[in-house]
Amino acid sequence: MINEIGHYVLVLALGVGLIVSTLPVIGARRNDRALMDVASLGSVLMFLLVGFSFAALTHAYAVSDFSVRNVWENSHSLMPMLYKLTGVWGNHEGSMLLWLLILVFFSALVAAFGGNLPETLKANVLAVQAWISVAFLLFILLTSNPFLRLERVPAEGQDLNPILQDFGLAIHPPLLYLGYVGFSVCFSFAVAALLEGRIDAAWARWVRPWTLAAWTFLTAGISMGSYWAYYELGWGGWWFWDPVENASFMPWLAGTALLHSALVMEKREALKIWTVLLAIMTFSLSLLGTFLVRSGVLTSVHAFATDPSRGIFILGILTIFIGGAFALFAWRAPSLKAGGLFAPISREGALVLNNLILTVSTATVLIGTLYPLILETLTGEKISVGAPFFNLTFGLLMIPVLIVTPFGPMLAWKRGDLLGAFQRLYVAAAIAALAGLTLWYIENGGPVLAALGIAAGFWLIFGALTDLWYRANFGKLAFGIAFRRLKGLPRSAFGTALAHMGLGITVLGIVIVTTYETETVLEMKQGTVAEAGGYSLTFDGIRHAVGPNFTEDRGHFTVRKAGVEVADVWSSKRLYTARRMPTTEAGILTFGLSQLYVSLGDPMADGGMVVRIWWKPFILCIWGGTLFMMAGGFISLSDRRLRVGAPTRKAKPVRAAMPEAAE
């Protein structure tokens, strides 16, 4: 009964969505406040209805109701409760319901916290959100109903994909969807502004917090997904340039550009057209990622096995929203004012350069991802575009970004002094070069490019610290006064510095682990010793174990350094009994920022085991840097100016200017 109600409330949500899609738009055109108020009430109601439907599906998984086809295909009575609950979105139908839930959640947030928005803008934004919600409601109800029943109730389920039976599934998809779907708000703001023909600094001030929130969650989702693949798949890699990995990375790149562009527009009312275009592009790339994952056009460890009809439906959604938005942009953009002027050497100029490089980088990843698909469709020829292409093209494009990033905050708005900025940064440059050479020497040399890459990472870190140093006027004022100035800086200043530091830390991790990691593949028998990263690993043998829904062979290794035992580690090969699918559970030991990674391979005829051992120096910097970026995003979101900076509808036309710290 609960499942039928869950299905029925989705139909009700569709009806509410159709109302919210139309009446507020009419109200905005007629300036009818009663019709416009329907948007807020309807958005909250849609969230409640979809939330109930999601709760109904979660209940079916929790009680192992195998009469529901979706539960039978993706669950098992012996699975731990955590994996039963996370299994709700470990499949196509459930993940689409989660996508929809987050979409209407953001709509409800705009309805609840958009009291300072102009009534017409708010009504149009929520109406556009409802258009998207209606499209995905139709997709779920017509092609991906998670509540379908089975005529005969099986005694047991088919189990969840073993790779997904991990704590990472509880974190990675929700965070990723919060990022993906969060950009829908920016898209809706852009379309609503184009409908009204009004885009100004206030619009950018309203858009920026939503952009920042979506970017932060997407950063967290990509980072968690990378670490999950690293420890769960047993392949020892953290990024594969998989098409679906790229599909999440492209909105992140475009969202980063949008974040910086919105800042320029807010401060200087410049880059209006560019900002609106980026808002449309970012969510369009999110929709493209949805199509790639669920259309069946590519093979990926991330892709859901779906029938072509679903892909055609999503392609239709893609065409309508992306095509419609770009058509509206082409119609309205010529009538928009260009905004403020600025010199090439200025903070605006630095941000424009940053945006151009990020946009070109996004296009590069897009071409590398879609070209094999397009070529196969047109000619039938199959090719693969792998890591060498992306590493070369994307890596070269990122070099100017790494160089320019510390200069941006040092330049003045409108017209800056490049020489003056460099004079402020020469100490940071010297320290970065020294630190880079020192670490390069400690890691026993290597390619010169590695030394430059390490120095670039430190350059970003010390550049961000230098920005805070000069904002607080350390060196010119007494230490106590400067420290009080530092504490009084806007939180967005600390957020920006942390984000740039995080990028530098991630660059350090990428360069060092790529250059200096070692891989050893050998056959090991009981008592065999292998060397990696200055440690010796002794294979102590295999033990058989039985889990709730799997069996496993566990290999035990004793780790010694200079003959002294320092740790031990287990690595295993699991076989999930329901699906008869094997998985590899890697053994990982952490030493500071570095890791020793052990993965069991196949057994040999003579009783030995193939073992893969990696030494990965400074690899934790890759994900540690993303933690800094996330912290920077959340700290910036807590800035009071982002929460109350937008003018209210009842604000007086003339208001005394408040002094504001430099940003």
Side-chain angles (χ1 to χ4, degrees):
M1 183 66 179
I2 296 178
N3 299 308
E4 280 70 26
I5 295 175
H7 182 204
Y8 179 65
V9 296
L10 280 182
V11 179
L12 287 179
L14 176 61
V16 175
L18 291 171
I19 294 172
V20 179
S21 301
T22 52
L23 293 185
V25 178
I26 297 171
R29 297 289 294 178
R30 297 179 178 179
N31 201 24
D32 188 330
R33 187 169 183 177
L35 290 179
M36 289 189 287
D37 288 343
V38 171
S40 297
L41 180 61
S43 297
V44 174
L45 182 58
M46 284 181 68
F47 169 65
L48 295 175
L49 291 172
V50 176
F52 183 89
S53 180
F54 189 83
L57 184 61
T58 304
H59 174 267
Y61 271 85
V63 300
S64 297
D65 185 358
F66 298 127
S67 68
V68 179
R69 184 183 185 91
N70 186 260
V71 179
W72 170 69
E73 290 177 343
N74 300 283
S75 188
H76 194 281
S77 61
L78 297 178
M79 278 199 328
M81 181 56 70
L82 174 64
Y83 301 155
K84 287 183 180 180
L85 298 179
T86 58
V88 174
W89 53 81
N91 57 88
H92 168 75
E93 292 83 0
S95 65
M96 287 309 305
L97 191 58
L98 176 64
W99 174 286
L100 178 64
L101 177 65
I102 295 174
L103 180 62
V104 295
F105 172 66
F106 274 106
S107 299
L109 287 180
V110 174
F113 298 103
N116 58 350
L117 293 173
E119 291 180 345
T120 55
L121 180 63
K122 183 180 179 181
N124 284 325
V125 167
L126 292 176
V128 177
Q129 284 287 109
W131 297 348
I132 305 170
S133 301
V134 166
F136 281 96
L137 274 165
L138 285 172
F139 176 70
I140 292 173
L141 291 171
L142 297 179
T143 70
S144 308
N145 184 4
F147 298 104
L148 292 177
R149 293 278 195 178
L150 293 171
E151 293 184 4
R152 295 183 178 180
V153 181
E156 191 55 85
Q158 294 184 331
D159 208 358
L160 182 65
N161 186 332
I163 296 176
L164 303 179
Q165 295 187 38
D166 185 83
F167 181 71
L169 183 64
I171 304 174
H172 169 53
L175 288 176
L176 200 65
Y177 288 2
L178 283 168
Y180 269 156
V181 182
F183 285 122
S184 69
V185 180
C186 309
F187 174 85
S188 298
F189 267 98
V191 173
L194 289 172
L195 289 173
E196 291 190 4
R198 174 185 173 231
I199 300 175
D200 52 18
W203 179 88
R205 195 174 298 118
W206 290 314
V207 169
R208 202 168 137 228
W210 298 104
T211 306
L212 185 57
W215 178 88
T216 304
F217 283 120
L218 188 56
T219 303
I222 294 174
S223 176
M224 182 63 221
S226 170
Y227 190 69
W228 181 18
Y230 168 74
Y231 75 77
E232 179 63 24
L233 297 182
W235 64 299
W238 53 273
W239 192 262
F240 191 64
W241 292 109
D242 179 273
V244 182
E245 290 176 341
N246 297 346
S248 65
F249 191 43
M250 287 185 289
W252 186 87
L253 290 171
T256 305
L258 172 61
L259 193 59
H260 291 86
S261 186
L263 176 63
V264 175
M265 185 175 169
E266 179 186 347
K267 295 294 182 183
R268 297 281 303 134
E269 287 205 44
L271 307 183
K272 292 182 180 180
I273 298 173
W274 182 241
T275 305
V276 172
L277 180 61
L278 281 174
I280 296 172
M281 285 176 52
T282 304
F283 185 61
S284 298
L285 291 169
S286 296
L287 291 178
L288 178 63
T290 305
F291 170 73
L292 291 176
V293 176
R294 302 172 193 280
S295 62
V297 299
L298 52 82
T299 302
S300 166
V301 296
H302 303 81
F304 293 101
T306 58
D307 60 82
S309 63
R310 292 172 175 172
I312 294 172
F313 201 110
I314 295 179
L315 187 60
I317 295 175
L318 206 67
T319 304
I320 292 171
F321 283 99
I322 296 178
F326 279 115
L328 179 63
F329 176 81
W331 176 43
R332 285 288 200 179
S335 63
L336 300 176
K337 294 182 179 179
L341 300 177
F342 53 87
I345 305 299
S346 62
R347 190 178 299 190
E348 296 98 322
L351 292 171
V352 168
L353 178 61
N354 170 78
N355 280 6
L356 287 174
I357 296 172
L358 287 174
T359 305
V360 174
S361 302
T362 306
T364 301
V365 178
L366 180 66
I367 292 170
T369 303
L370 295 185
Y371 179 73
L373 303 176
I374 297 172
L375 185 66
E376 184 179 355
T377 302
L378 297 177
T379 67
E381 182 182 353
K382 292 187 177 182
I383 66 167
S384 64
V385 178
F389 167 81
F390 291 107
N391 290 340
L392 181 61
T393 56
F394 184 81
L396 290 175
L397 285 169
M398 284 296 103
I399 292 175
V401 172
L402 302 182
I403 296 173
V404 170
T405 296
F407 281 95
M410 296 294 173
L411 295 172
W413 293 103
K414 197 173 182 179
R415 184 179 297 276
D417 181 4
L418 187 60
L419 180 61
F422 183 76
Q423 289 175 340
R424 290 184 169 189
L425 287 168
Y426 77 91
V427 174
I431 296 174
L434 180 62
L437 289 172
T438 303
L439 190 54
W440 179 72
Y441 177 78
I442 292 173
E443 293 293 334
N444 299 316
V448 176
L449 288 177
L452 295 176
I454 296 170
F458 282 118
W459 164 246
L460 290 169
I461 296 171
F462 292 119
L465 293 174
T466 302
D467 178 36
L468 295 177
W469 175 276
Y470 280 103
R471 284 174 182 265
N473 263 341
F474 282 103
K476 293 184 178 181
L477 301 175
F479 180 82
I481 299 174
F483 187 72
R484 286 196 296 273
R485 282 179 59 89
L486 180 67
K487 293 194 297 181
L489 289 176
R491 293 180 184 177
S492 60
F494 292 102
T496 300
L498 282 173
H500 290 174
M501 288 175 62
L503 178 60
I505 294 169
T506 297
V507 169
L508 277 178
I510 292 172
V511 172
I512 294 175
V513 77
T514 302
T515 306
Y516 299 108
E517 74 171 353
T518 61
E519 179 183 2
T520 305
V521 183
L522 73 165
E523 180 186 354
M524 299 186 76
K525 297 180 180 179
Q526 189 169 347
T528 304
V529 180
E531 301 289 331
Y535 296 88
S536 62
L537 287 83
T538 304
F539 183 45
D540 299 320
I542 296 289
R543 300 180 188 178
H544 188 72
V546 179
N549 57 336
F550 61 85
T551 60
E552 65 176 343
D553 291 319
R554 307 179 70 201
H556 184 260
F557 299 82
T558 301
V559 182
R560 295 179 175 86
K561 189 175 182 65
V564 179
E565 183 176 337
V566 293
D568 69 328
V569 64
W570 294 87
S571 180
S572 65
K573 297 284 288 187
R574 287 182 179 178
L575 180 66
Y576 285 80
T577 52
R579 294 201 176 203
R580 309 301 298 175
M581 281 183 65
T583 64
T584 300
E585 302 295 321
I588 302 175
L589 283 176
T590 299
F591 300 97
L593 297 173
S594 305
Q595 288 187 332
L596 191 64
Y597 189 108
V598 184
S599 177
L600 288 184
D602 299 322
M604 304 298 289
D606 59 357
M609 291 286 295
V610 175
V611 180
R612 292 175 172 85
I613 304 170
W614 286 271
W615 172 249
K616 296 183 174 292
F618 286 81
I619 192 168
L620 291 183
C621 287
I622 295 174
W623 304 293
T626 63
L627 292 177
F628 273 78
M629 296 183 208
M630 291 154 51
F634 286 121
I635 290 173
S636 294
L637 276 174
S638 68
D639 194 318
R640 184 175 180 272
R641 294 176 301 170
L642 283 183
R643 289 184 281 111
V644 300
T648 62
R649 291 183 301 210
K650 298 181 180 180
K652 296 179 180 179
V654 179
R655 181 179 292 181
M658 297 294 291
E660 192 174 82
E663 177 169 317

PDB file of all heavy atoms in Angstrom, residues 180 239-251 292 365-366 368-369 385 390:
ATOM      1  N   TYR A 180      25.442  18.865  -9.047  1.00  0.00           N
ATOM      2  CA  TYR A 180      24.790  18.838 -10.355  1.00  0.00           C
ATOM      3  C   TYR A 180      23.523  19.686 -10.357  1.00  0.00           C
ATOM      4  O   TYR A 180      23.335  20.588 -11.164  1.00  0.00           O
ATOM      5  CB  TYR A 180      24.395  17.401 -10.703  1.00  0.00           C
ATOM      6  CG  TYR A 180      25.426  16.608 -11.473  1.00  0.00           C
ATOM      7  CD1 TYR A 180      25.429  15.223 -11.421  1.00  0.00           C
ATOM      8  CD2 TYR A 180      26.371  17.225 -12.270  1.00  0.00           C
ATOM      9  CE1 TYR A 180      26.351  14.467 -12.125  1.00  0.00           C
ATOM     10  CE2 TYR A 180      27.294  16.478 -12.986  1.00  0.00           C
ATOM     11  CZ  TYR A 180      27.282  15.104 -12.905  1.00  0.00           C
ATOM     12  OH  TYR A 180      28.183  14.361 -13.608  1.00  0.00           O
ATOM     13  N   TRP A 239      42.234   8.813 -10.721  1.00  0.00           N
ATOM     14  CA  TRP A 239      41.505   9.463 -11.815  1.00  0.00           C
ATOM     15  C   TRP A 239      41.866   8.749 -13.113  1.00  0.00           C
ATOM     16  O   TRP A 239      43.033   8.553 -13.425  1.00  0.00           O
ATOM     17  CB  TRP A 239      41.855  10.944 -11.904  1.00  0.00           C
ATOM     18  CG  TRP A 239      40.942  11.729 -12.808  1.00  0.00           C
ATOM     19  CD1 TRP A 239      41.152  12.088 -14.097  1.00  0.00           C
ATOM     20  CD2 TRP A 239      39.651  12.244 -12.478  1.00  0.00           C
ATOM     21  NE1 TRP A 239      40.084  12.791 -14.593  1.00  0.00           N
ATOM     22  CE2 TRP A 239      39.133  12.905 -13.616  1.00  0.00           C
ATOM     23  CE3 TRP A 239      38.866  12.218 -11.341  1.00  0.00           C
ATOM     24  CZ2 TRP A 239      37.890  13.522 -13.632  1.00  0.00           C
ATOM     25  CZ3 TRP A 239      37.629  12.844 -11.359  1.00  0.00           C
ATOM     26  CH2 TRP A 239      37.155  13.485 -12.487  1.00  0.00           C
ATOM     27  N   PHE A 240      40.827   8.391 -13.884  1.00  0.00           N
ATOM     28  CA  PHE A 240      41.036   7.579 -15.074  1.00  0.00           C
ATOM     29  C   PHE A 240      40.664   8.306 -16.360  1.00  0.00           C
ATOM     30  O   PHE A 240      40.857   7.774 -17.438  1.00  0.00           O
ATOM     31  CB  PHE A 240      40.223   6.281 -14.950  1.00  0.00           C
ATOM     32  CG  PHE A 240      40.557   5.244 -15.976  1.00  0.00           C
ATOM     33  CD1 PHE A 240      41.824   4.665 -16.021  1.00  0.00           C
ATOM     34  CD2 PHE A 240      39.610   4.847 -16.908  1.00  0.00           C
ATOM     35  CE1 PHE A 240      42.139   3.711 -16.978  1.00  0.00           C
ATOM     36  CE2 PHE A 240      39.909   3.894 -17.863  1.00  0.00           C
ATOM     37  CZ  PHE A 240      41.183   3.319 -17.896  1.00  0.00           C
ATOM     38  N   TRP A 241      40.137   9.523 -16.250  1.00  0.00           N
ATOM     39  CA  TRP A 241      39.572  10.237 -17.399  1.00  0.00           C
ATOM     40  C   TRP A 241      38.475   9.407 -18.056  1.00  0.00           C
ATOM     41  O   TRP A 241      38.308   9.407 -19.288  1.00  0.00           O
ATOM     42  CB  TRP A 241      40.645  10.621 -18.422  1.00  0.00           C
ATOM     43  CG  TRP A 241      41.602  11.659 -17.956  1.00  0.00           C
ATOM     44  CD1 TRP A 241      42.907  11.473 -17.636  1.00  0.00           C
ATOM     45  CD2 TRP A 241      41.338  13.053 -17.720  1.00  0.00           C
ATOM     46  NE1 TRP A 241      43.473  12.653 -17.215  1.00  0.00           N
ATOM     47  CE2 TRP A 241      42.540  13.647 -17.283  1.00  0.00           C
ATOM     48  CE3 TRP A 241      40.205  13.863 -17.858  1.00  0.00           C
ATOM     49  CZ2 TRP A 241      42.644  15.002 -16.956  1.00  0.00           C
ATOM     50  CZ3 TRP A 241      40.317  15.227 -17.544  1.00  0.00           C
ATOM     51  CH2 TRP A 241      41.515  15.773 -17.107  1.00  0.00           C
ATOM     52  N   ASP A 242      37.749   8.679 -17.223  1.00  0.00           N
ATOM     53  CA  ASP A 242      36.575   7.949 -17.676  1.00  0.00           C
ATOM     54  C   ASP A 242      35.535   8.954 -18.181  1.00  0.00           C
ATOM     55  O   ASP A 242      35.417  10.059 -17.647  1.00  0.00           O
ATOM     56  CB  ASP A 242      36.010   7.128 -16.508  1.00  0.00           C
ATOM     57  CG  ASP A 242      34.768   6.357 -16.856  1.00  0.00           C
ATOM     58  OD1 ASP A 242      33.668   6.928 -16.748  1.00  0.00           O
ATOM     59  OD2 ASP A 242      34.868   5.183 -17.213  1.00  0.00           O
ATOM     60  N   PRO A 243      34.762   8.618 -19.238  1.00  0.00           N
ATOM     61  CA  PRO A 243      33.781   9.583 -19.761  1.00  0.00           C
ATOM     62  C   PRO A 243      32.826  10.123 -18.707  1.00  0.00           C
ATOM     63  O   PRO A 243      32.440  11.297 -18.758  1.00  0.00           O
ATOM     64  CB  PRO A 243      33.033   8.783 -20.831  1.00  0.00           C
ATOM     65  CG  PRO A 243      34.011   7.766 -21.299  1.00  0.00           C
ATOM     66  CD  PRO A 243      34.807   7.402 -20.086  1.00  0.00           C
ATOM     67  N   VAL A 244      32.436   9.285 -17.756  1.00  0.00           N
ATOM     68  CA  VAL A 244      31.506   9.753 -16.738  1.00  0.00           C
ATOM     69  C   VAL A 244      32.227  10.581 -15.678  1.00  0.00           C
ATOM     70  O   VAL A 244      31.644  11.491 -15.091  1.00  0.00           O
ATOM     71  CB  VAL A 244      30.752   8.565 -16.120  1.00  0.00           C
ATOM     72  CG1 VAL A 244      29.750   9.042 -15.088  1.00  0.00           C
ATOM     73  CG2 VAL A 244      30.034   7.771 -17.212  1.00  0.00           C
ATOM     74  N   GLU A 245      33.489  10.284 -15.416  1.00  0.00           N
ATOM     75  CA  GLU A 245      34.279  11.174 -14.572  1.00  0.00           C
ATOM     76  C   GLU A 245      34.373  12.550 -15.223  1.00  0.00           C
ATOM     77  O   GLU A 245      34.228  13.579 -14.555  1.00  0.00           O
ATOM     78  CB  GLU A 245      35.678  10.598 -14.358  1.00  0.00           C
ATOM     79  CG  GLU A 245      35.736   9.373 -13.482  1.00  0.00           C
ATOM     80  CD  GLU A 245      37.143   8.801 -13.379  1.00  0.00           C
ATOM     81  OE1 GLU A 245      37.975   9.124 -14.247  1.00  0.00           O
ATOM     82  OE2 GLU A 245      37.401   8.026 -12.449  1.00  0.00           O
ATOM     83  N   ASN A 246      34.611  12.551 -16.516  1.00  0.00           N
ATOM     84  CA  ASN A 246      34.667  13.813 -17.251  1.00  0.00           C
ATOM     85  C   ASN A 246      33.336  14.550 -17.202  1.00  0.00           C
ATOM     86  O   ASN A 246      33.300  15.786 -17.156  1.00  0.00           O
ATOM     87  CB  ASN A 246      35.057  13.563 -18.708  1.00  0.00           C
ATOM     88  CG  ASN A 246      36.445  12.964 -18.846  1.00  0.00           C
ATOM     89  OD1 ASN A 246      37.227  12.960 -17.905  1.00  0.00           O
ATOM     90  ND2 ASN A 246      36.747  12.445 -20.024  1.00  0.00           N
ATOM     91  N   ALA A 247      32.242  13.791 -17.224  1.00  0.00           N
ATOM     92  CA  ALA A 247      30.916  14.400 -17.203  1.00  0.00           C
ATOM     93  C   ALA A 247      30.654  15.152 -15.905  1.00  0.00           C
ATOM     94  O   ALA A 247      29.846  16.095 -15.888  1.00  0.00           O
ATOM     95  CB  ALA A 247      29.846  13.329 -17.408  1.00  0.00           C
ATOM     96  N   SER A 248      31.286  14.765 -14.821  1.00  0.00           N
ATOM     97  CA  SER A 248      31.162  15.511 -13.570  1.00  0.00           C
ATOM     98  C   SER A 248      32.202  16.629 -13.483  1.00  0.00           C
ATOM     99  O   SER A 248      31.964  17.654 -12.832  1.00  0.00           O
ATOM    100  CB  SER A 248      31.309  14.577 -12.369  1.00  0.00           C
ATOM    101  OG  SER A 248      32.625  14.027 -12.310  1.00  0.00           O
ATOM    102  N   PHE A 249      33.337  16.426 -14.148  1.00  0.00           N
ATOM    103  CA  PHE A 249      34.416  17.411 -14.098  1.00  0.00           C
ATOM    104  C   PHE A 249      34.099  18.649 -14.928  1.00  0.00           C
ATOM    105  O   PHE A 249      34.450  19.770 -14.550  1.00  0.00           O
ATOM    106  CB  PHE A 249      35.709  16.762 -14.587  1.00  0.00           C
ATOM    107  CG  PHE A 249      36.951  17.579 -14.332  1.00  0.00           C
ATOM    108  CD1 PHE A 249      37.142  18.220 -13.126  1.00  0.00           C
ATOM    109  CD2 PHE A 249      37.928  17.687 -15.302  1.00  0.00           C
ATOM    110  CE1 PHE A 249      38.303  18.962 -12.884  1.00  0.00           C
ATOM    111  CE2 PHE A 249      39.078  18.415 -15.075  1.00  0.00           C
ATOM    112  CZ  PHE A 249      39.268  19.061 -13.870  1.00  0.00           C
ATOM    113  N   MET A 250      33.405  18.468 -16.046  1.00  0.00           N
ATOM    114  CA  MET A 250      33.087  19.612 -16.912  1.00  0.00           C
ATOM    115  C   MET A 250      32.184  20.634 -16.231  1.00  0.00           C
ATOM    116  O   MET A 250      32.480  21.841 -16.285  1.00  0.00           O
ATOM    117  CB  MET A 250      32.483  19.110 -18.230  1.00  0.00           C
ATOM    118  CG  MET A 250      33.486  18.454 -19.158  1.00  0.00           C
ATOM    119  SD  MET A 250      32.790  17.998 -20.772  1.00  0.00           S
ATOM    120  CE  MET A 250      31.715  16.617 -20.313  1.00  0.00           C
ATOM    121  N   PRO A 251      31.080  20.246 -15.556  1.00  0.00           N
ATOM    122  CA  PRO A 251      30.311  21.252 -14.819  1.00  0.00           C
ATOM    123  C   PRO A 251      31.126  21.928 -13.723  1.00  0.00           C
ATOM    124  O   PRO A 251      30.899  23.101 -13.426  1.00  0.00           O
ATOM    125  CB  PRO A 251      29.136  20.449 -14.235  1.00  0.00           C
ATOM    126  CG  PRO A 251      29.027  19.231 -15.063  1.00  0.00           C
ATOM    127  CD  PRO A 251      30.415  18.929 -15.533  1.00  0.00           C
ATOM    128  N   LEU A 292      24.821  10.973 -20.610  1.00  0.00           N
ATOM    129  CA  LEU A 292      25.900  10.021 -20.837  1.00  0.00           C
ATOM    130  C   LEU A 292      25.808   8.815 -19.908  1.00  0.00           C
ATOM    131  O   LEU A 292      26.085   7.680 -20.312  1.00  0.00           O
ATOM    132  CB  LEU A 292      27.250  10.716 -20.649  1.00  0.00           C
ATOM    133  CG  LEU A 292      27.639  11.757 -21.703  1.00  0.00           C
ATOM    134  CD1 LEU A 292      28.946  12.433 -21.331  1.00  0.00           C
ATOM    135  CD2 LEU A 292      27.748  11.122 -23.083  1.00  0.00           C
ATOM    136  N   VAL A 365      37.985  18.940 -22.670  1.00  0.00           N
ATOM    137  CA  VAL A 365      37.485  17.711 -22.051  1.00  0.00           C
ATOM    138  C   VAL A 365      36.220  17.232 -22.755  1.00  0.00           C
ATOM    139  O   VAL A 365      36.022  16.025 -22.970  1.00  0.00           O
ATOM    140  CB  VAL A 365      37.220  17.933 -20.546  1.00  0.00           C
ATOM    141  CG1 VAL A 365      36.653  16.669 -19.912  1.00  0.00           C
ATOM    142  CG2 VAL A 365      38.501  18.346 -19.824  1.00  0.00           C
ATOM    143  N   LEU A 366      35.354  18.176 -23.143  1.00  0.00           N
ATOM    144  CA  LEU A 366      34.121  17.827 -23.851  1.00  0.00           C
ATOM    145  C   LEU A 366      34.423  17.151 -25.186  1.00  0.00           C
ATOM    146  O   LEU A 366      33.819  16.119 -25.518  1.00  0.00           O
ATOM    147  CB  LEU A 366      33.267  19.077 -24.060  1.00  0.00           C
ATOM    148  CG  LEU A 366      31.931  18.892 -24.795  1.00  0.00           C
ATOM    149  CD1 LEU A 366      30.983  18.034 -23.967  1.00  0.00           C
ATOM    150  CD2 LEU A 366      31.281  20.247 -25.093  1.00  0.00           C
ATOM    151  N   GLY A 368      37.247  15.630 -26.113  1.00  0.00           N
ATOM    152  CA  GLY A 368      37.865  14.338 -25.878  1.00  0.00           C
ATOM    153  C   GLY A 368      36.884  13.273 -25.427  1.00  0.00           C
ATOM    154  O   GLY A 368      37.066  12.084 -25.706  1.00  0.00           O
ATOM    155  N   THR A 369      35.812  13.679 -24.742  1.00  0.00           N
ATOM    156  CA  THR A 369      34.813  12.738 -24.253  1.00  0.00           C
ATOM    157  C   THR A 369      33.833  12.330 -25.341  1.00  0.00           C
ATOM    158  O   THR A 369      33.477  11.151 -25.473  1.00  0.00           O
ATOM    159  CB  THR A 369      34.046  13.355 -23.069  1.00  0.00           C
ATOM    160  OG1 THR A 369      34.976  13.730 -22.038  1.00  0.00           O
ATOM    161  CG2 THR A 369      33.044  12.364 -22.499  1.00  0.00           C
ATOM    162  N   VAL A 385      39.888   7.762 -26.555  1.00  0.00           N
ATOM    163  CA  VAL A 385      40.686   8.917 -26.177  1.00  0.00           C
ATOM    164  C   VAL A 385      40.973   8.773 -24.689  1.00  0.00           C
ATOM    165  O   VAL A 385      40.070   8.877 -23.861  1.00  0.00           O
ATOM    166  CB  VAL A 385      39.937  10.234 -26.473  1.00  0.00           C
ATOM    167  CG1 VAL A 385      40.769  11.427 -26.015  1.00  0.00           C
ATOM    168  CG2 VAL A 385      39.615  10.350 -27.952  1.00  0.00           C
ATOM    169  N   PHE A 390      44.303  13.762 -22.539  1.00  0.00           N
ATOM    170  CA  PHE A 390      43.811  14.691 -21.529  1.00  0.00           C
ATOM    171  C   PHE A 390      44.951  15.270 -20.691  1.00  0.00           C
ATOM    172  O   PHE A 390      44.946  16.462 -20.375  1.00  0.00           O
ATOM    173  CB  PHE A 390      42.788  13.992 -20.630  1.00  0.00           C
ATOM    174  CG  PHE A 390      41.497  13.649 -21.308  1.00  0.00           C
ATOM    175  CD1 PHE A 390      41.198  12.342 -21.630  1.00  0.00           C
ATOM    176  CD2 PHE A 390      40.591  14.636 -21.630  1.00  0.00           C
ATOM    177  CE1 PHE A 390      40.006  12.012 -22.253  1.00  0.00           C
ATOM    178  CE2 PHE A 390      39.388  14.320 -22.265  1.00  0.00           C
ATOM    179  CZ  PHE A 390      39.102  13.005 -22.573  1.00  0.00           C
TER     180      PHE A 390
END
